[in-house]
Amino acid sequence: MTRSLLPAHRLRWGAAAWTVGVLQYFICQVVVAAQWKTSYSWTRNFISDLGNTACGPFAPPHGQSAYVCSPAHTTMNVSFIVAGVLAAAGMVLLRPLWARQRTVAVAFWLWIVSAAGKALVGLVPENTDVALHTLGALNMPLGGLAVLLLSRRAAGLDQPWRRAGLALGRIGLIGATLTITGQFTTHLPWGAGLSERLASYPANAWMLLIAALALTRAHATAPGPAAPASQATAHHSFH
């Protein structure tokens, strides 16, 4: 492959990594939740409850106890790991979308640490080491902050898409704040699971947005088909 084709090639692979990572993450949540013998609540249960490896009451630090039993927990934990690995790989591949600036560099490493945290959530389920698992869960505020910073600096991002990215970053940070607050109070009018999803899902939506941008940029930068040799020879003969 020639050097001129490398950027478009990177953008396509980066877009693929983020698209696959996000889609498998959501599909696995639906599939694993459907395996619960008791009803899994998308507003009250944490996402991590899907990866809990034991059956019985479980309470996060400062949170309320709830019965958790996820028969397909291995599937969800593998999904967390895959999501983290592909989030990091996609960011490395899509790095050409952003200028070489200090703010971008900070956001880049925030995202990489966030992706590592996502993988850690799967490697250390909530019931095995809640402190280490909670450390991994910091991927949500870190990811939201990275989205905010990168949405301001994405090259070629039209204003409506830039505003969408900024909005998603803000929603993610608000969700992270509500998730932390929900650990210390029972007076929120919604469940802790909904707050956590407000913290987690916006970054995933942003990944799909940037993946679409990357594919558009890759198509625009890819060279057109070369002229057939016979046409090139004929053209040369007239000169």
Side-chain angles (χ1 to χ4, degrees):
M1 178 174 293
T2 63
R3 187 176 182 84
S4 62
L5 290 178
L6 181 59
H9 184 74
R10 282 186 61 173
L11 294 178
R12 291 192 185 98
W13 277 107
W18 275 8
T19 301
V20 171
V22 170
L23 292 181
Q24 67 83 28
Y25 179 58
F26 283 103
I27 290 171
C28 285
Q29 286 183 60
V30 173
V31 171
V32 173
Q35 303 302 311
W36 278 43
K37 303 303 181 184
T38 56
S39 178
Y40 177 82
S41 172
W42 292 85
T43 59
R44 294 190 303 275
N45 282 106
F46 290 104
I47 302 173
S48 293
D49 289 347
L50 295 171
N52 195 304
T53 61
C55 287
F58 176 79
H62 311 290
Q64 291 183 309
S65 177
Y67 183 79
V68 174
C69 188
S70 183
H73 54 80
T74 300
T75 299
M76 193 66 239
N77 288 324
V78 170
S79 177
F80 282 130
I81 297 169
V82 171
V85 170
L86 291 181
M91 177 57 76
V92 172
L93 290 167
L94 296 174
R95 181 63 180 82
L97 286 175
W98 290 276
R100 294 188 176 277
Q101 299 175 348
R102 181 175 299 178
T103 300
V104 173
V106 171
F108 175 87
W109 286 109
L110 282 174
W111 185 268
I112 296 299
V113 173
S114 172
K118 175 78 78 173
L120 181 61
V121 165
L123 289 169
V124 185
E126 62 182 8
N127 62 299
T128 59
D129 188 333
V130 69
L132 192 55
H133 182 88
T134 301
L135 181 64
L138 290 176
N139 74 83
M140 291 180 287
L142 292 178
L145 181 56
V147 168
L148 269 179
L149 296 175
L150 292 171
S151 293
R152 294 179 180 274
R153 301 293 181 179
L157 191 61
D158 293 335
Q159 195 63 25
W161 295 102
R162 189 185 302 273
R163 286 198 295 266
L166 292 172
L168 289 169
R170 293 186 182 107
I171 292 171
L173 289 176
I174 291 171
T177 302
L178 292 174
T179 301
I180 295 171
T181 303
Q183 299 288 323
F184 297 93
T185 180
T186 59
H187 300 297
L188 292 177
W190 51 82
L194 180 58
S195 295
E196 187 183 41
R197 285 173 169 81
L198 285 175
S200 175
Y201 289 177
N204 289 276
W206 179 80
M207 290 166 70
L208 295 179
L209 184 152
I210 297 300
L213 170 66
L215 290 176
T216 301
R217 292 287 301 276
H219 179 74
T221 58
S230 59
Q231 292 183 13
T233 302
H235 179 75
H236 180 73
S237 66
F238 284 103
H239 293 78

